[in-house]
Amino acid sequence: MTAVRTPGVPVIDNGELVSTNPASGALAGRFPIAGPEDVAAAVRRGRAAAAWWSGLGFAGRRARLLRWRALLANRMNELAQLCHLEGGKPVPDALIEIVSAIDHLDWAARNAKRVLGHHRVRSRLLVAEFSAHLEYQPYGVIGVIGPWNYPVLTPLGSIVYALAAGNAVVHKPSEYTPAVGQWLSDTFAEVVDEQPVFQVVHGLGEVGAALCRSGVDKLAFTGSTATAKKVMATCAETLTPVLLEAGGKDAMIVDADADVAAAAQACVWGALTNAGQTCIGIERVYAVEPVYDAFVSAVVERAGRLTVGEDGDIGPITMPGQLDTIRRHIEDAVARGGRAVLGGPSAVQPPYVHPTVLVDVPEDAAAVREETFGPTVTIRRVRDADEAVALANALPYGLGGSVFGRRRAMAVARRLRGGMTAVNSTLTFVGMPSLPFGGVGDSGFGRIHGDDGLREFGRAKAITRRRGPSPLPAMTFERTPRQVARIAAIVRRLYGR
Ligand code: NDP
């Protein structure tokens, strides 16, 4: 790379990653690129730090994590301004993202002991002479590779759960948002200055690959499905376990008894917030025949009132290369018989894209099948909720989704293929720390957030402890044939019916 640049496209200059604003080109920061040796050294330092951090126990970690929570709450404006400067995200959106991350941090710190700490579990009759004990021990060092679209909430969705579970973290932020990644690590170090418990390494994709090979004990990746496959293949070389949060093409279903005005408002938010650069963004809507026309009109009316620009509702597209994908999806949809009832091909005005609502788009068009990651949405008329579910579930992705309706809404929500569904709202599950978050199929596997998200960063450790002599010894060469026959007879009596 050279120092000649397009705003927002990171360049390497003098061994440093230079991060700039996608609209103005203003400098967001310069960060030294890590070589493979630097990454390995960070993991070595992290390993020593992990031993200290895990030794603090749940209470010691909780106290420190809650201090970091307070720092983030008191300095959220500073972080929101940095997100705005580096990624172009509107400041109010950045604040809402940060608020959600702070709530996750609070929840993870307060719940780690309950979920991961030592538990007695029930014994069974045949092994009643032993007590059973379960706890989740930290892996050691977790590598976290993050994307640029939610540079606070998304990596912290792994990082704070990994830290609460007793691990150290080495984070590789996206090359588009290194300044935000560095800020998070620096502020953690202000609170926990004894050991490098949460480090950051910078660079392009190859630094992420180096992190996969560095000997981390688990790798948590959030990004595109294509990169997720590369990460898994690289981690397979060393049998490093992976958690993969990949892309999506989330659908919303509007049923006949839905509150159409509320559905339209939520659709506009779910599809267009953060300029549509949201993994769980609504990209397709299936609205049933009786409410379709009213729904489309309401969406067009509300989306048409959004402002676009530096301080608008819709900011710039963070990754300039994504503009080509968005343009291609809109043009292809229109060429194949779709209609833009708002926006259209002319809506792409780099670095911005104006809200675009597409109808009558064939189901095999790129705008329906591929992740667009722009402020666009397709709406299709369907016969009933069953047809909507069949179409919504027809893609290899399965991340989140939404259902609007009353009588059948919960049943339809259960049938949507994916990890999360919001009923009578959109995206809201991501802000609920007590619920797990993650996908199926091409959207990845494993879970962040919630009890499952904590367990993702701990290894189950099972212990049996003798609490008395065995009346009928089974697991010993000292047993007699008579005792084996009695055990078999008991099992026949207990389970043979
Ligand atoms: P990418 O897949 O392009 O990149 C994700 C991260 O992986 C970046 O830090 C990137 O570094 C790094 N990387 C790139 N190549 C490699 C490699 N070979 N080995 C290891 N790491 C590598 O995704 P984006 O940053 O473009 O993020 C957008 C995507 O993330 C969308 O598909 C979105 O749906 C998904 N996403 C999923 C979420 C979820 O929870 N399921 C949440 C948020 C986003 P670099 O940037 O330096 O290339």
Side-chain angles (χ1 to χ4, degrees):
M1 284 194 190
T2 71
V4 178
R5 60 185 194 222
T6 312
V9 175
V11 295
I12 294 176
D13 179 37
N14 233 345
E16 289 186 321
L17 182 63
V18 183
S19 176
T20 55
N21 179 273
S24 65
L27 182 70
R30 300 177 66 104
F31 305 92
I33 301 266
E37 225 349 277
D38 301 318
V39 177
V43 174
R44 275 197 302 277
R45 286 194 298 273
R47 183 141 289 119
W52 172 78
W53 180 244
S54 124
L56 291 177
F58 289 107
R61 291 195 296 273
R62 173 183 150 135
R64 286 163 174 82
L65 288 168
L66 293 182
R67 285 215 302 274
W68 188 35
R69 178 209 60 186
L71 181 155
L72 294 178
N74 289 317
R75 288 171 59 185
M76 66 170 97
N77 285 322
E78 177 188 332
L79 180 56
Q81 289 296 342
L82 186 60
C83 292
H84 177 61
L85 170 64
E86 185 165 54
K89 183 180 295 235
V91 172
D93 284 350
L95 279 171
I96 298 302
E97 174 183 351
I98 294 162
V99 162
S100 182
I102 291 170
D103 202 28
H104 278 285
L105 171 52
D106 182 70
W107 191 89
R110 291 181 187 281
N111 285 276
K113 182 169 186 222
R114 173 184 62 80
V115 178
L116 306 174
H118 170 255
H119 289 67
R120 284 278 293 269
V121 292
R122 289 188 74 138
S123 300
R124 300 279 291 175
L125 185 65
L126 287 172
V127 279
E129 70 272 33
F130 304 102
S131 60
H133 306 255
L134 174 61
E135 65 193 44
Y136 293 82
Q137 299 178 343
Y139 278 85
V141 183
I142 306 290
V144 175
I145 298 178
W148 47 267
N149 59 339
Y150 287 85
V152 177
L153 179 59
T154 295
L156 288 190
S158 294
I159 291 167
V160 304
Y161 288 80
L163 291 172
N167 302 280
V169 167
V170 178
H171 174 213
K172 201 307 256 171
S174 164
E175 70 206 48
Y176 288 87
T177 50
V180 173
Q182 187 67 51
W183 193 96
L184 293 172
S185 171
D186 289 349
T187 54
F188 183 84
E190 286 179 31
V191 170
V192 179
D193 58 2
E194 297 95 328
Q195 293 273 346
V197 173
F198 169 20
Q199 302 172 79
V200 62
V201 290
H202 294 291
L204 309 185
E206 68 226 29
V207 178
L211 187 57
C212 296
R213 293 198 172 94
S214 64
V216 287
D217 300 290
K218 184 161 187 171
L219 196 294
F221 168 83
T222 309
S224 64
T225 305
T227 310
K229 291 177 184 174
K230 289 189 203 160
V231 163
M232 192 166 167
T234 308
C235 286
E237 293 167 13
T238 46
L239 270 192
T240 301
V242 288
L243 157 66
L244 301 178
E245 295 286 351
K249 188 75 183 172
D250 288 358
M252 172 174 174
I253 293 176
V254 187
D255 207 351
D257 54 358
D259 175 339
V260 173
Q265 199 186 86
C267 169
V268 171
W269 161 257
L272 308 182
T273 182
N274 201 30
Q277 305 167 111
T278 305
C279 57
I280 48 169
I282 298 297
E283 298 215 355
R284 312 174 279 153
V285 182
Y286 299 101
V288 302
E289 169 63 30
V291 296
Y292 175 85
D293 289 326
F295 175 77
V296 172
S297 312
V299 168
V300 168
E301 190 278 321
R302 184 65 194 94
R305 283 194 281 123
L306 295 177
T307 55
V308 180
E310 164 72 18
D311 290 312
D313 300 311
I314 310 274
I317 298 302
T318 304
M319 201 168 58
Q322 193 66 23
L323 288 157
D324 295 334
T325 305
I326 300 168
R327 188 184 293 110
R328 174 170 64 79
H329 285 196
I330 298 174
E331 286 176 355
D332 171 70
V334 172
R336 300 172 63 150
R339 280 186 304 125
V341 288
L342 181 70
S346 64
V348 183
Q349 297 169 19
Y352 299 100
V353 178
H354 289 253
T356 291
V357 179
L358 299 161
V359 297
D360 301 335
V361 181
E363 284 299 291
D364 58 356
V368 178
R369 295 195 64 82
E370 299 170 24
E371 197 176 36
T372 307
F373 238 52
T376 70
V377 64
T378 64
I379 310 179
R380 182 189 169 100
R381 187 193 303 266
V382 290
R383 215 175 35 249
D384 54 25
D386 288 340
E387 185 185 5
V389 169
L391 291 170
N393 287 349
L395 297 189
Y397 288 120
L399 194 52
S402 161
V403 180
F404 267 79
R406 290 194 179 86
R407 203 167 50 82
R408 280 171 302 201
M410 284 300 283
V412 171
R414 288 194 182 93
R415 288 167 60 199
L416 274 184
R417 179 172 172 272
M420 300 80 59
T421 305
V423 173
N424 295 333
S425 66
T426 49
L427 321 186
T428 41
F429 41 74
V430 72
M432 187 72 77
S434 47
L435 280 177
F437 180 102
V440 306
D442 278 6
S443 296
F445 53 79
R447 293 292 181 264
I448 55 174
H449 305 173
D451 290 8
D452 298 87
L454 282 167
R455 283 194 201 102
E456 197 74 44
F457 296 106
R459 290 190 179 106
K461 176 75 182 181
I463 299 174
T464 50
R465 178 175 185 176
R466 182 178 289 285
R467 54 185 173 190
S470 297
L472 284 173
M475 295 198 187
T476 166
F477 286 121
E478 311 313 316
R479 70 196 171 199
T480 63
R482 226 184 118 122
Q483 287 169 326
V484 172
R486 279 200 62 199
I487 290 168
I490 290 170
V491 168
R492 259 195 305 278
R493 210 172 310 136
L494 278 176
Y495 302 133
R497 282 169 284 158

